[in-house]
PDB file of all heavy atoms in Angstrom:
ATOM      1  N   PHE A 161     150.722  71.947 110.710  1.00  0.00           N
ATOM      2  CA  PHE A 161     149.659  71.514 111.614  1.00  0.00           C
ATOM      3  C   PHE A 161     150.170  71.211 113.024  1.00  0.00           C
ATOM      4  O   PHE A 161     149.541  71.464 113.996  1.00  0.00           O
ATOM      5  CB  PHE A 161     148.938  70.248 110.979  1.00  0.00           C
ATOM      6  CG  PHE A 161     149.801  69.086 110.710  1.00  0.00           C
ATOM      7  CD1 PHE A 161     150.065  68.159 111.678  1.00  0.00           C
ATOM      8  CD2 PHE A 161     150.472  68.969 109.538  1.00  0.00           C
ATOM      9  CE1 PHE A 161     150.958  67.135 111.430  1.00  0.00           C
ATOM     10  CE2 PHE A 161     151.264  67.882 109.249  1.00  0.00           C
ATOM     11  CZ  PHE A 161     151.496  66.990 110.238  1.00  0.00           C
TER      12      PHE A 161
ATOM     13  N   VAL B  23     168.172  58.724 112.045  1.00  0.00           N
ATOM     14  CA  VAL B  23     166.847  58.386 111.665  1.00  0.00           C
ATOM     15  C   VAL B  23     166.862  57.212 110.745  1.00  0.00           C
ATOM     16  O   VAL B  23     166.012  56.330 110.907  1.00  0.00           O
ATOM     17  CB  VAL B  23     166.136  59.620 110.866  1.00  0.00           C
ATOM     18  CG1 VAL B  23     164.820  59.272 110.403  1.00  0.00           C
ATOM     19  CG2 VAL B  23     166.104  60.843 111.837  1.00  0.00           C
ATOM     20  N   LEU B  26     167.317  54.144 112.878  1.00  0.00           N
ATOM     21  CA  LEU B  26     166.021  53.943 113.545  1.00  0.00           C
ATOM     22  C   LEU B  26     165.085  53.095 112.631  1.00  0.00           C
ATOM     23  O   LEU B  26     164.459  52.129 113.005  1.00  0.00           O
ATOM     24  CB  LEU B  26     165.342  55.193 114.100  1.00  0.00           C
ATOM     25  CG  LEU B  26     164.108  55.052 114.822  1.00  0.00           C
ATOM     26  CD1 LEU B  26     164.409  54.367 116.159  1.00  0.00           C
ATOM     27  CD2 LEU B  26     163.437  56.383 115.010  1.00  0.00           C
ATOM     28  N   GLY B  68     155.560  53.283 117.136  1.00  0.00           N
ATOM     29  CA  GLY B  68     154.903  54.024 116.041  1.00  0.00           C
ATOM     30  C   GLY B  68     155.915  54.934 115.360  1.00  0.00           C
ATOM     31  O   GLY B  68     156.012  55.049 114.113  1.00  0.00           O
ATOM     32  N   ILE B  69     156.709  55.616 116.164  1.00  0.00           N
ATOM     33  CA  ILE B  69     157.712  56.555 115.625  1.00  0.00           C
ATOM     34  C   ILE B  69     158.778  55.789 114.836  1.00  0.00           C
ATOM     35  O   ILE B  69     159.149  56.160 113.738  1.00  0.00           O
ATOM     36  CB  ILE B  69     158.360  57.403 116.712  1.00  0.00           C
ATOM     37  CG1 ILE B  69     157.343  58.441 117.210  1.00  0.00           C
ATOM     38  CG2 ILE B  69     159.626  58.067 116.230  1.00  0.00           C
ATOM     39  CD1 ILE B  69     157.821  59.335 118.267  1.00  0.00           C
ATOM     40  N   ALA B  70     159.303  54.690 115.359  1.00  0.00           N
ATOM     41  CA  ALA B  70     160.284  53.903 114.709  1.00  0.00           C
ATOM     42  C   ALA B  70     159.799  53.323 113.296  1.00  0.00           C
ATOM     43  O   ALA B  70     160.478  53.495 112.240  1.00  0.00           O
ATOM     44  CB  ALA B  70     160.779  52.709 115.573  1.00  0.00           C
ATOM     45  N   HIS B  71     158.565  52.817 113.356  1.00  0.00           N
ATOM     46  CA  HIS B  71     158.067  52.227 112.093  1.00  0.00           C
ATOM     47  C   HIS B  71     157.636  53.357 111.176  1.00  0.00           C
ATOM     48  O   HIS B  71     157.781  53.173 109.948  1.00  0.00           O
ATOM     49  CB  HIS B  71     156.802  51.298 112.386  1.00  0.00           C
ATOM     50  CG  HIS B  71     157.224  50.016 112.933  1.00  0.00           C
ATOM     51  ND1 HIS B  71     157.482  48.892 112.166  1.00  0.00           N
ATOM     52  CD2 HIS B  71     157.525  49.597 114.222  1.00  0.00           C
ATOM     53  CE1 HIS B  71     157.837  47.864 112.961  1.00  0.00           C
ATOM     54  NE2 HIS B  71     157.917  48.290 114.182  1.00  0.00           N
ATOM     55  N   GLY B  72     157.210  54.535 111.700  1.00  0.00           N
ATOM     56  CA  GLY B  72     156.848  55.647 110.837  1.00  0.00           C
ATOM     57  C   GLY B  72     158.009  56.191 110.173  1.00  0.00           C
ATOM     58  O   GLY B  72     157.868  56.734 109.029  1.00  0.00           O
ATOM     59  N   ALA B  73     159.185  56.066 110.730  1.00  0.00           N
ATOM     60  CA  ALA B  73     160.392  56.575 110.112  1.00  0.00           C
ATOM     61  C   ALA B  73     160.626  55.926 108.770  1.00  0.00           C
ATOM     62  O   ALA B  73     161.025  56.507 107.757  1.00  0.00           O
ATOM     63  CB  ALA B  73     161.642  56.390 111.037  1.00  0.00           C
ATOM     64  N   ARG B  74     160.370  54.590 108.718  1.00  0.00           N
ATOM     65  CA  ARG B  74     160.598  53.901 107.397  1.00  0.00           C
ATOM     66  C   ARG B  74     159.654  54.449 106.401  1.00  0.00           C
ATOM     67  O   ARG B  74     160.108  54.764 105.251  1.00  0.00           O
ATOM     68  CB  ARG B  74     160.102  52.361 107.644  1.00  0.00           C
ATOM     69  CG  ARG B  74     160.948  51.643 108.616  1.00  0.00           C
ATOM     70  CD  ARG B  74     160.214  50.422 109.038  1.00  0.00           C
ATOM     71  NE  ARG B  74     160.258  49.290 108.019  1.00  0.00           N
ATOM     72  CZ  ARG B  74     161.185  48.475 107.898  1.00  0.00           C
ATOM     73  NH1 ARG B  74     162.189  48.536 108.734  1.00  0.00           N
ATOM     74  NH2 ARG B  74     161.191  47.559 106.982  1.00  0.00           N
ATOM     75  N   SER B  76     158.141  57.389 106.201  1.00  0.00           N
ATOM     76  CA  SER B  76     158.514  58.774 105.870  1.00  0.00           C
ATOM     77  C   SER B  76     159.668  58.796 104.872  1.00  0.00           C
ATOM     78  O   SER B  76     159.644  59.489 103.885  1.00  0.00           O
ATOM     79  CB  SER B  76     158.846  59.623 107.093  1.00  0.00           C
ATOM     80  OG  SER B  76     157.723  59.967 107.693  1.00  0.00           O
ATOM     81  N   LEU B  77     160.759  58.047 105.231  1.00  0.00           N
ATOM     82  CA  LEU B  77     161.911  58.122 104.434  1.00  0.00           C
ATOM     83  C   LEU B  77     161.617  57.445 103.050  1.00  0.00           C
ATOM     84  O   LEU B  77     162.078  58.012 102.031  1.00  0.00           O
ATOM     85  CB  LEU B  77     163.088  57.315 105.070  1.00  0.00           C
ATOM     86  CG  LEU B  77     163.614  58.025 106.295  1.00  0.00           C
ATOM     87  CD1 LEU B  77     164.714  57.176 106.942  1.00  0.00           C
ATOM     88  CD2 LEU B  77     164.218  59.349 105.975  1.00  0.00           C
ATOM     89  N   ILE B 206     158.508  64.829 102.575  1.00  0.00           N
ATOM     90  CA  ILE B 206     158.198  64.288 103.850  1.00  0.00           C
ATOM     91  C   ILE B 206     157.076  65.144 104.636  1.00  0.00           C
ATOM     92  O   ILE B 206     156.223  64.662 105.223  1.00  0.00           O
ATOM     93  CB  ILE B 206     159.439  64.101 104.756  1.00  0.00           C
ATOM     94  CG1 ILE B 206     160.275  63.017 104.159  1.00  0.00           C
ATOM     95  CG2 ILE B 206     159.085  63.780 106.192  1.00  0.00           C
ATOM     96  CD1 ILE B 206     161.626  62.792 104.910  1.00  0.00           C
ATOM     97  N   GLU B 209     153.779  64.501 102.912  1.00  0.00           N
ATOM     98  CA  GLU B 209     153.256  63.220 103.281  1.00  0.00           C
ATOM     99  C   GLU B 209     152.652  63.281 104.719  1.00  0.00           C
ATOM    100  O   GLU B 209     151.551  62.750 104.936  1.00  0.00           O
ATOM    101  CB  GLU B 209     154.365  62.139 103.319  1.00  0.00           C
ATOM    102  CG  GLU B 209     153.947  60.749 103.494  1.00  0.00           C
ATOM    103  CD  GLU B 209     153.771  60.368 104.887  1.00  0.00           C
ATOM    104  OE1 GLU B 209     154.554  60.884 105.817  1.00  0.00           O
ATOM    105  OE2 GLU B 209     152.968  59.507 105.289  1.00  0.00           O
ATOM    106  N   SER B 210     153.381  63.976 105.614  1.00  0.00           N
ATOM    107  CA  SER B 210     152.855  64.031 107.026  1.00  0.00           C
ATOM    108  C   SER B 210     151.506  64.820 106.985  1.00  0.00           C
ATOM    109  O   SER B 210     150.632  64.392 107.733  1.00  0.00           O
ATOM    110  CB  SER B 210     153.877  64.707 107.947  1.00  0.00           C
ATOM    111  OG  SER B 210     153.972  66.027 107.671  1.00  0.00           O
ATOM    112  N   SER B 213     148.749  62.422 105.678  1.00  0.00           N
ATOM    113  CA  SER B 213     148.277  61.398 106.579  1.00  0.00           C
ATOM    114  C   SER B 213     147.635  62.025 107.809  1.00  0.00           C
ATOM    115  O   SER B 213     146.742  61.480 108.473  1.00  0.00           O
ATOM    116  CB  SER B 213     149.376  60.418 107.044  1.00  0.00           C
ATOM    117  OG  SER B 213     150.601  60.971 107.144  1.00  0.00           O
ATOM    118  N   MET B 223     151.920  52.576 109.527  1.00  0.00           N
ATOM    119  CA  MET B 223     151.965  53.622 110.579  1.00  0.00           C
ATOM    120  C   MET B 223     152.794  54.791 110.084  1.00  0.00           C
ATOM    121  O   MET B 223     153.869  54.584 109.525  1.00  0.00           O
ATOM    122  CB  MET B 223     152.584  52.958 111.797  1.00  0.00           C
ATOM    123  CG  MET B 223     152.740  53.852 113.026  1.00  0.00           C
ATOM    124  SD  MET B 223     151.154  54.448 113.604  1.00  0.00           S
ATOM    125  CE  MET B 223     150.567  53.068 114.618  1.00  0.00           C
ATOM    126  N   SER B 224     152.264  55.991 110.319  1.00  0.00           N
ATOM    127  CA  SER B 224     153.060  57.151 109.833  1.00  0.00           C
ATOM    128  C   SER B 224     152.955  58.235 110.947  1.00  0.00           C
ATOM    129  O   SER B 224     151.952  58.282 111.722  1.00  0.00           O
ATOM    130  CB  SER B 224     152.602  57.614 108.519  1.00  0.00           C
ATOM    131  OG  SER B 224     151.469  58.466 108.590  1.00  0.00           O
ATOM    132  N   TRP B 225     153.943  59.151 110.915  1.00  0.00           N
ATOM    133  CA  TRP B 225     153.999  60.204 111.887  1.00  0.00           C
ATOM    134  C   TRP B 225     152.822  61.120 111.749  1.00  0.00           C
ATOM    135  O   TRP B 225     152.201  61.471 112.814  1.00  0.00           O
ATOM    136  CB  TRP B 225     155.277  61.004 111.705  1.00  0.00           C
ATOM    137  CG  TRP B 225     156.539  60.175 112.015  1.00  0.00           C
ATOM    138  CD1 TRP B 225     156.540  59.097 112.798  1.00  0.00           C
ATOM    139  CD2 TRP B 225     157.807  60.415 111.515  1.00  0.00           C
ATOM    140  NE1 TRP B 225     157.829  58.550 112.847  1.00  0.00           N
ATOM    141  CE2 TRP B 225     158.657  59.405 112.094  1.00  0.00           C
ATOM    142  CE3 TRP B 225     158.434  61.347 110.750  1.00  0.00           C
ATOM    143  CZ2 TRP B 225     159.997  59.307 111.856  1.00  0.00           C
ATOM    144  CZ3 TRP B 225     159.742  61.279 110.434  1.00  0.00           C
ATOM    145  CH2 TRP B 225     160.612  60.249 111.012  1.00  0.00           C
ATOM    146  N   GLY B 226     152.437  61.474 110.579  1.00  0.00           N
ATOM    147  CA  GLY B 226     151.278  62.356 110.389  1.00  0.00           C
ATOM    148  C   GLY B 226     150.032  61.864 110.904  1.00  0.00           C
ATOM    149  O   GLY B 226     149.197  62.477 111.578  1.00  0.00           O
ATOM    150  N   PHE B 227     149.880  60.547 110.627  1.00  0.00           N
ATOM    151  CA  PHE B 227     148.641  59.818 111.168  1.00  0.00           C
ATOM    152  C   PHE B 227     148.595  59.898 112.710  1.00  0.00           C
ATOM    153  O   PHE B 227     147.456  60.157 113.252  1.00  0.00           O
ATOM    154  CB  PHE B 227     148.630  58.311 110.695  1.00  0.00           C
ATOM    155  CG  PHE B 227     147.600  57.476 111.449  1.00  0.00           C
ATOM    156  CD1 PHE B 227     146.291  57.558 111.081  1.00  0.00           C
ATOM    157  CD2 PHE B 227     147.969  56.740 112.474  1.00  0.00           C
ATOM    158  CE1 PHE B 227     145.346  56.829 111.834  1.00  0.00           C
ATOM    159  CE2 PHE B 227     147.138  55.927 113.219  1.00  0.00           C
ATOM    160  CZ  PHE B 227     145.755  55.958 112.885  1.00  0.00           C
ATOM    161  N   MET B 228     149.754  59.585 113.330  1.00  0.00           N
ATOM    162  CA  MET B 228     149.787  59.544 114.777  1.00  0.00           C
ATOM    163  C   MET B 228     149.407  60.966 115.438  1.00  0.00           C
ATOM    164  O   MET B 228     148.551  61.070 116.317  1.00  0.00           O
ATOM    165  CB  MET B 228     151.221  59.251 115.334  1.00  0.00           C
ATOM    166  CG  MET B 228     151.652  57.894 114.906  1.00  0.00           C
ATOM    167  SD  MET B 228     153.391  57.603 115.334  1.00  0.00           S
ATOM    168  CE  MET B 228     153.378  57.401 117.125  1.00  0.00           C
ATOM    169  N   ILE B 229     149.828  62.050 114.721  1.00  0.00           N
ATOM    170  CA  ILE B 229     149.427  63.296 115.195  1.00  0.00           C
ATOM    171  C   ILE B 229     147.979  63.634 114.957  1.00  0.00           C
ATOM    172  O   ILE B 229     147.214  64.112 115.846  1.00  0.00           O
ATOM    173  CB  ILE B 229     150.318  64.458 114.552  1.00  0.00           C
ATOM    174  CG1 ILE B 229     151.765  64.228 114.883  1.00  0.00           C
ATOM    175  CG2 ILE B 229     149.957  65.869 115.011  1.00  0.00           C
ATOM    176  CD1 ILE B 229     152.707  65.166 114.182  1.00  0.00           C
ATOM    177  N   GLY B 230     147.544  63.256 113.793  1.00  0.00           N
ATOM    178  CA  GLY B 230     146.075  63.428 113.469  1.00  0.00           C
ATOM    179  C   GLY B 230     145.122  62.677 114.350  1.00  0.00           C
ATOM    180  O   GLY B 230     144.146  63.270 114.813  1.00  0.00           O
ATOM    181  N   PRO B 246     155.777  62.486 117.777  1.00  0.00           N
ATOM    182  CA  PRO B 246     155.859  62.253 116.338  1.00  0.00           C
ATOM    183  C   PRO B 246     156.217  63.593 115.595  1.00  0.00           C
ATOM    184  O   PRO B 246     156.913  63.548 114.630  1.00  0.00           O
ATOM    185  CB  PRO B 246     154.423  61.786 115.978  1.00  0.00           C
ATOM    186  CG  PRO B 246     153.882  61.314 117.196  1.00  0.00           C
ATOM    187  CD  PRO B 246     154.435  62.093 118.286  1.00  0.00           C
ATOM    188  N   GLY B 247     155.676  64.666 116.175  1.00  0.00           N
ATOM    189  CA  GLY B 247     156.027  65.968 115.440  1.00  0.00           C
ATOM    190  C   GLY B 247     157.544  66.325 115.562  1.00  0.00           C
ATOM    191  O   GLY B 247     158.116  66.801 114.663  1.00  0.00           O
ATOM    192  N   ALA B 249     159.838  64.145 115.664  1.00  0.00           N
ATOM    193  CA  ALA B 249     160.449  63.275 114.769  1.00  0.00           C
ATOM    194  C   ALA B 249     160.424  63.843 113.338  1.00  0.00           C
ATOM    195  O   ALA B 249     161.476  63.831 112.642  1.00  0.00           O
ATOM    196  CB  ALA B 249     159.772  61.944 114.751  1.00  0.00           C
ATOM    197  N   ILE B 250     159.289  64.418 112.893  1.00  0.00           N
ATOM    198  CA  ILE B 250     159.235  65.020 111.572  1.00  0.00           C
ATOM    199  C   ILE B 250     160.213  66.213 111.539  1.00  0.00           C
ATOM    200  O   ILE B 250     160.982  66.317 110.631  1.00  0.00           O
ATOM    201  CB  ILE B 250     157.808  65.522 111.251  1.00  0.00           C
ATOM    202  CG1 ILE B 250     156.846  64.376 111.317  1.00  0.00           C
ATOM    203  CG2 ILE B 250     157.759  66.212 109.980  1.00  0.00           C
ATOM    204  CD1 ILE B 250     155.292  64.849 111.212  1.00  0.00           C
ATOM    205  N   LEU B 251     160.128  67.060 112.608  1.00  0.00           N
ATOM    206  CA  LEU B 251     160.968  68.302 112.667  1.00  0.00           C
ATOM    207  C   LEU B 251     162.386  67.941 112.468  1.00  0.00           C
ATOM    208  O   LEU B 251     163.178  68.484 111.656  1.00  0.00           O
ATOM    209  CB  LEU B 251     160.734  68.994 113.908  1.00  0.00           C
ATOM    210  CG  LEU B 251     161.529  70.226 114.283  1.00  0.00           C
ATOM    211  CD1 LEU B 251     161.348  71.340 113.284  1.00  0.00           C
ATOM    212  CD2 LEU B 251     161.233  70.787 115.615  1.00  0.00           C
ATOM    213  N   THR B 253     163.866  65.140 111.365  1.00  0.00           N
ATOM    214  CA  THR B 253     164.177  64.524 110.051  1.00  0.00           C
ATOM    215  C   THR B 253     164.299  65.576 108.969  1.00  0.00           C
ATOM    216  O   THR B 253     165.214  65.595 108.151  1.00  0.00           O
ATOM    217  CB  THR B 253     163.136  63.450 109.692  1.00  0.00           C
ATOM    218  OG1 THR B 253     162.949  62.559 110.794  1.00  0.00           O
ATOM    219  CG2 THR B 253     163.569  62.636 108.520  1.00  0.00           C
TER     220      THR B 253
END
Side-chain angles (χ1 to χ4, degrees):
Chain A
F161 56 90
Chain B
V23 177
L26 182 69
I69 287 180
H71 285 266
R74 299 162 75 87
S76 284
L77 292 178
I206 291 179
E209 187 276 331
S210 71
S213 38
M223 182 58 83
S224 80
W225 295 336
F227 165 79
M228 295 172 77
I229 302 174
I250 301 174
L251 173 62
T253 310

